[in-house]
Amino acid sequence: DIANTLTAFVIAKCDDITVGEKCIFGKYTSTGNLREWAVQKTNLTGAIDIVYGKPADGTYSGTVRTAAAHWVSGKYIRLAFVFNRGISMLVVDGQVVSKSVVDLVEPGSLYNGTSNVFVGVHSTTQNPWNGTVGLVLLYNEAKTLQQIQYIDRLTKWRWV
């Protein structure tokens, strides 16, 4: 399982950004405190949230939100979330939109539970995605920006 390093890459389209908070993908199950991480669209604004669980017990730890809206109704975006020992980076369409030290999780690791990776929901039914998820790639390493841009170039032609 992924605890200290992670790269999660997704190509997705949101059909309607005015519909509330929706999960794109993650390992985040509220029942039984199996919260690890999740990437989701915020309520109404089109900004992106990364939600974390506490490494010690899987309870909710906090949320990092992008300052700008990145989702546009009906348009695909290519999004990569990188976690590297407490440093979080979010890349949208090949450009870094957020990079920060995540002080919400201690001590620089993600909760390493037994939850499945869910695509399009938080868990079996919570916050279903309202759109299309075209591609999901998960790596148990922290990819560099250059590596993410390479993946982005290889995949974007199909999802314009």
Side-chain angles (χ1 to χ4, degrees), residues 26-37:
K27 288 186 75 172
Y28 197 90
T29 305
S30 299
T31 305
N33 288 327
L34 296 174
R35 297 170 181 90
E36 297 180 42
W37 58 272

Side-chain angles (χ1 to χ4, degrees), residues 14-16 19-25 39-41 118-133:
C14 182
D15 289 339
D16 183 359
V19 176
E21 177 182 283
K22 299 296 176 183
C23 183
I24 305 162
F25 64 130
V39 179
Q40 63 188 28
K41 179 192 75 64
F118 289 98
V119 177
V121 290
H122 270 167
S123 60
T124 54
T125 59
Q126 292 179 321
N127 298 15
W129 182 246
N130 66 329
T132 304
V133 177

